[in-house]
């Protein structure tokens, strides 16, 4: 009797678990309200509180995994060169490969979910990512490293979507916009979180620890997704033959442009002929893709829809915002690294940046609403303008405490911006019945991923030009006959009195150290110019968004006056 009772209880438990934990999609029945309006997205049935908590925790894990593996590489890029035997320009391929595939994959993954189901989508791309990382543990060269980062870009795009879907399941339908903001914003926490990892921990076994960490994180996420499944979406025949033709030319355009822009500021634009050829070839590839889509009845990328003034304005603001938000990772962190500080040294700043980013994400989720999307984006860009202007007064004595406030403002702005910007675009997709989802994902992915490459390239190029200008200017103001120069070089040479006995060699060393001081001063002055440029660009964008808000307010007043 007890055995039969135990068997019945066990079978009931298995049936209840299989409803949430299974490998295959199961034929659930949902009401019209639960099915949603976006093709390829899972339905949103009413869940008990315990299941919502499971979905919320899974969303956090999936979202962080989607960005943390690449973020750890980006945060430790200067220290990885020796491990892989690469120079800085070769290492630049790693983040570029991730961002290029991340931008390319989005629109294709939407259709994959629509045709093959979200369960297959979850498991196949996570499994492929794990296989690539595992292979990289045995093959340690540039090609395998780039392949892993490219696979991470595809997996990152898939995991970002999964993070949003899991968070939507975690919150009631009334808070769907907040769920989207949280889901799309959590991957932004990956980079400040990655800077908190001790270098010694990741450098285990000649940086093998970094890849073991990424492998372990991916395996944990794969296991979690295997156990906690999303409600199955309705499948439709989404792919058409011309999709592959369009995608080929679109992918070529993004890959060519992203490679040239991502490497241009490292190899320098005029030093490599292939950079110019890639830029020249990217435009015709993009034109061919857009021409094919323009005449199609069911396009992969709806050119007519993207040609709307509102969408063009959205793309412009998103691209500019992503460029100015590069101030933190390239500007402030780069300045501290030039002062000789490592990630371990700037851990207090990284912790404050992470706290500010979480605060920004929370604020954005609480404040988001149909009428607050553009004001939230404007607030984020305005904060960057103020913080960058304050950073433009940096000097040789600038250290962590002087950057706490400004970098927290920029981190806050980063997570305040991303959610409302995505929700704004999604509202346009929903207004059209959800048919233009692939077009919006292609647009948003390009502005964010390629925008990051463009922002990094612009800042580094301007930094180089500005440094050369200030170096020439400083060199023209000093001379050996200047008493201050002579006194400074003698003081610097005296520091080597205990190790260098020859006065001539000591003097030469003092002169060399003085040249290094001049170079560092020019570098700091160049960073100040970069911060001011970012501040000006962000300020102009803020004024533009203020005009958009004012125009919308006047239009609403005019409509209200007409109806009355």
């Amino acid at each position: 009797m007890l055995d039969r009772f135990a068997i019945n209880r066990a079978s009931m438990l298995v049936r209840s678990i299989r409803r949430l934990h299974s490998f295959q999609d199961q034929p659930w029945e949902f009401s019209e309200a639960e099915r949603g309006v976006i093709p390829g997205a899972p339905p949103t049935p009413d869940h008990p509180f315990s299941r919502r908590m499971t979905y919320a925790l899974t969303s956090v894990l999936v979202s962080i995994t989607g960005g943390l593996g690449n973020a750890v590489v980006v945060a430790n890029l200067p220290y990885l060169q020796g491990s892989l035997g690469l120079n800085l320009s070769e290492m630049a391929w790693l983040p570029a490969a991730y961002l290029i595939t991340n931008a390319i994959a989005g629109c294709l993954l939407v259709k994959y979910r629509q045709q093959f189901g979200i369960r297959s989508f979850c498991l196949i791309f996570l499994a492929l990512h794990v296989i690539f990382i595992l292979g990289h543990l045995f093959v340690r060269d540039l090609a395998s490293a780039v392949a892993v980062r490219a696979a991470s870009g595809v997996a990152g795009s898939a995991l970002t979507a999964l993070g949003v879907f899991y968070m939507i399941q975690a919150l009631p339908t009334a808070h769907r916009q907040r769920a989207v903001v949280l889901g799309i914003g959590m991957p932004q926490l990956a980079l400040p979180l990655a800077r908190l990892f001790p270098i010694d921990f990741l450098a285990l076994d000649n940086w093998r620890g970094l890849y073991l960490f990424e492998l372990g994180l991916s395996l944990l996420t794969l296991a979690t997704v295997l156990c906690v499944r999303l409600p199955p979406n309705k499948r439709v025949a989404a792919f058409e033959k011309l999709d592959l033709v369009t995608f080929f030319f679109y992918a070529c355009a993004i890959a060519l442009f992203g490679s040239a822009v991502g490497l241009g500021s490292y190899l320098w634009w005029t030093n490599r002929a292939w950079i110019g050829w890639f830029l020249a070839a990217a435009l015709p590839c993009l034109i061919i893709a857009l021409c094919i889509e323009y005449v199609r009845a069911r396009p992969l990328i709806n050119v007519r829809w993207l040609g709307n003034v509102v969408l063009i304005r959205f793309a412009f603001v998103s691209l500019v915002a992503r460029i100015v938000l590069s101030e933190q990772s390239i500007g402030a962190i780069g300045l501290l690294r030039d002062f000789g500080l490592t990630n371990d040294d700037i851990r207090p700043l990284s912790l404050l940046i992470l706290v500010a980013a979480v605060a920004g994400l929370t604020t954005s989720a609480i404040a988001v609403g149909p009428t607050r999307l553009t004001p939230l984006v404007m607030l984020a860009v305005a904060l960057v303008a103020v913080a960058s202007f304050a950073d433009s007064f940096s000097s040789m004595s600038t250290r962590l405490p002087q950057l706490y406030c400004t970098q927290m403002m920029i981190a806050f702005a980063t997570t305040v911006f991303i959610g409302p910007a995505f929700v704004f675009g999604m509202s346009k997709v929903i207004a059209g019945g959800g048919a233009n989802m692939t077009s919006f994902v292609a647009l948003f992915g390009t502005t964010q991923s390629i925008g990051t490459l463009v922002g990094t390239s612009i800042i580094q190029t301007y930094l180089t030009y500005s440094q050369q200008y200030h170096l020439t200017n400083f060199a023209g103001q000093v001379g050996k006959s200047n008493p201050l120069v002579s006194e400074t070089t003698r003081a610097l040479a005296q520091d080597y009195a205990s190790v260098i006995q020859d006065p001539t060699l000591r003097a030469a060393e003092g002169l060399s150290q003085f040249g290094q001081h001049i170079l560092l001063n020019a570098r700091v002055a160049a960073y100040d110019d970069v911060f001011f440029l970012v501040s000006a660009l962000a300020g102009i964008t803020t004024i533009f968004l203020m005009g958009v808000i004012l125009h919308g307010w006047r239009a609403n007043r005019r409509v209200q006056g007409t109806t009355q």
Side-chain angles (χ1 to χ4, degrees):
M1 184 71 179
L2 289 176
D3 290 343
R4 183 179 297 176
F5 177 76
I7 292 172
N8 290 337
R9 289 294 302 272
S11 62
M12 289 174 61
L13 180 62
V14 169
R15 282 196 300 269
S16 63
I17 290 176
R18 284 186 64 193
R19 197 168 160 77
L20 184 63
H21 311 272
S22 68
F23 186 85
Q24 298 291 339
D25 278 339
Q26 297 179 7
W28 289 4
E29 294 296 332
F30 301 103
S31 67
E32 195 65 33
E34 291 174 336
R35 288 175 185 167
V37 296
I38 302 297
T44 54
D46 189 25
H47 300 292
F49 178 76
S50 59
R51 189 179 295 172
R52 290 191 185 278
M53 288 301 298
T54 302
Y55 279 127
L57 293 175
T58 305
S59 175
V60 174
L61 175 63
V62 167
S63 298
I64 295 299
T65 302
L68 189 57
N70 186 69
V72 170
V73 172
V74 171
N76 296 282
L77 206 59
Y79 321 119
L80 279 169
Q81 299 176 53
S83 170
L84 296 175
L86 305 175
N87 57 42
L88 186 59
S89 60
E90 290 173 325
M91 291 297 296
W93 277 108
L94 303 186
Y98 176 90
L99 291 169
I100 289 169
T101 56
N102 190 267
I104 290 172
C107 62
L108 203 63
L109 293 180
V110 172
K111 285 211 168 187
Y112 184 96
R113 290 196 302 269
Q114 294 172 1
Q115 180 146 344
F116 298 105
I118 202 163
R119 192 67 179 160
S120 169
F121 168 80
C122 297
L123 302 181
I124 287 180
F125 289 100
L126 270 173
L128 288 175
H129 188 220
V130 168
I131 292 171
F132 270 98
I133 297 173
L134 190 62
H136 187 52
L137 287 172
F138 301 98
V139 183
R140 301 287 297 278
D141 56 12
L142 178 60
S144 67
V146 172
V148 170
R149 296 274 63 82
S152 298
V154 178
S157 180
L159 289 174
T160 299
L162 284 182
V164 174
F165 293 153
Y166 275 110
M167 188 56 71
I168 288 175
Q169 301 297 322
L171 296 181
T173 306
H175 301 291
R176 183 167 295 177
Q177 283 193 347
R178 291 185 172 88
V180 172
V181 169
L182 290 172
I184 202 71
M186 277 189 292
Q188 304 298 314
L189 306 178
L191 188 55
L193 187 62
R195 295 196 185 103
L196 295 175
F197 284 79
I199 293 178
D200 293 339
F201 170 72
L202 292 173
L204 176 67
D205 191 15
N206 198 25
W207 289 94
R208 193 182 184 89
L210 188 151
Y211 305 108
L212 287 173
F213 165 77
E214 189 173 4
L215 176 62
L217 191 62
S218 299
L219 286 171
L220 176 62
T221 304
L222 178 59
T224 304
V225 171
L226 273 169
C227 293
V228 184
R229 77 180 186 91
L230 291 164
N233 61 302
K234 182 181 178 181
R235 300 186 192 183
V236 295
F239 282 108
E240 297 181 2
K241 292 181 180 179
L242 272 178
D243 287 342
L244 295 179
V245 179
T246 298
F247 182 76
F248 172 78
F249 285 105
Y250 168 73
C252 286
I254 297 298
L256 291 169
F257 181 80
S259 300
V261 171
L263 276 293
S265 58
Y266 289 95
L267 299 172
W268 203 246
W269 305 97
T270 56
N271 288 349
R272 296 289 190 277
W274 67 263
I275 295 176
W277 285 112
F278 274 29
L279 289 173
L283 183 59
C285 287
L286 183 61
I287 291 175
I288 292 172
L290 296 181
C291 288
I292 293 173
E293 294 301 280
Y294 189 81
V295 298
R296 291 181 63 187
R298 294 177 56 195
L300 176 68
I301 301 174
N302 193 335
V303 179
R304 290 183 174 87
W305 184 73
L306 291 177
N308 186 283
V309 174
V310 175
L311 270 297
I312 293 174
R313 187 176 66 204
F314 166 82
F316 168 75
V317 172
S318 298
L319 182 62
V320 172
R322 183 49 59 188
I323 291 172
V324 300
L325 288 171
S326 301
E327 192 265 28
Q328 185 165 87
S329 57
I330 306 300
I333 301 299
L335 175 64
L336 294 174
R337 281 179 175 166
D338 284 351
F339 285 146
L341 303 181
T342 65
N343 287 348
D344 292 345
D345 300 319
I346 65 172
R347 190 170 291 124
L349 176 62
S350 299
L351 181 59
L352 290 175
I353 288 174
L354 178 60
V355 171
V358 172
L361 183 59
T362 306
T363 302
S364 181
I366 294 173
V368 71
T371 61
R372 303 192 193 108
L373 299 177
T374 305
L376 283 171
V377 172
M378 186 188 74
L379 170 65
V381 179
L383 286 173
V384 176
V386 173
S388 298
F389 182 74
D391 285 342
S392 67
F393 295 95
S394 299
S395 65
M396 290 286 290
S397 60
T398 298
R399 291 298 182 269
L400 295 183
Q402 288 77 39
L403 296 174
Y404 284 160
C405 183
T406 57
Q407 294 311 301
M408 287 180 70
M409 290 171 64
I410 293 177
F412 183 88
T414 300
T415 47
V416 165
F417 157 77
I418 190 73
F422 186 82
V423 170
F424 179 85
M426 283 294 297
S427 66
K428 304 303 177 186
V429 174
I430 294 172
N436 295 311
M437 186 63 189
T438 56
S439 305
F440 169 68
V441 169
L443 176 66
F444 189 78
T446 302
T447 58
Q448 297 308 296
S449 297
I450 301 303
T452 300
L453 287 176
V454 171
T456 300
S457 179
I458 290 175
I459 288 178
Q460 288 182 339
T461 301
Y462 186 72
L463 182 67
T464 301
Y465 272 119
S466 184
Q467 178 183 328
Q468 292 302 314
Y469 169 78
H470 288 292
L471 189 59
T472 303
N473 192 30
F474 290 162
Q477 295 177 18
V478 299
K480 292 183 179 180
S481 59
N482 190 317
L484 183 60
V485 174
S486 301
E487 182 181 346
T488 303
T489 53
R490 277 197 301 270
L492 292 172
Q494 196 61 31
D495 294 338
Y496 295 89
S498 60
V499 293
I500 300 178
Q501 302 300 322
D502 190 333
T504 304
L505 291 178
R506 280 204 309 270
E509 190 63 35
L511 192 61
S512 174
Q513 289 298 311
F514 181 74
Q516 292 297 321
H517 277 275
I518 292 294
L519 180 61
L520 188 56
N521 273 280
R523 187 75 169 173
V524 173
Y527 274 112
D528 287 345
D529 291 345
V530 166
F531 295 145
F532 186 79
L533 174 67
V534 169
S535 176
L537 189 58
I540 294 171
T541 307
T542 302
I543 295 171
F544 173 76
L545 289 172
M546 197 177 298
V548 170
I549 294 172
L550 183 61
H551 175 75
W553 179 76
R554 286 180 175 175
N556 289 335
R557 289 289 301 271
R558 195 177 300 115
V559 171
Q560 290 176 1
T562 304
T563 56
Q564 291 175 358

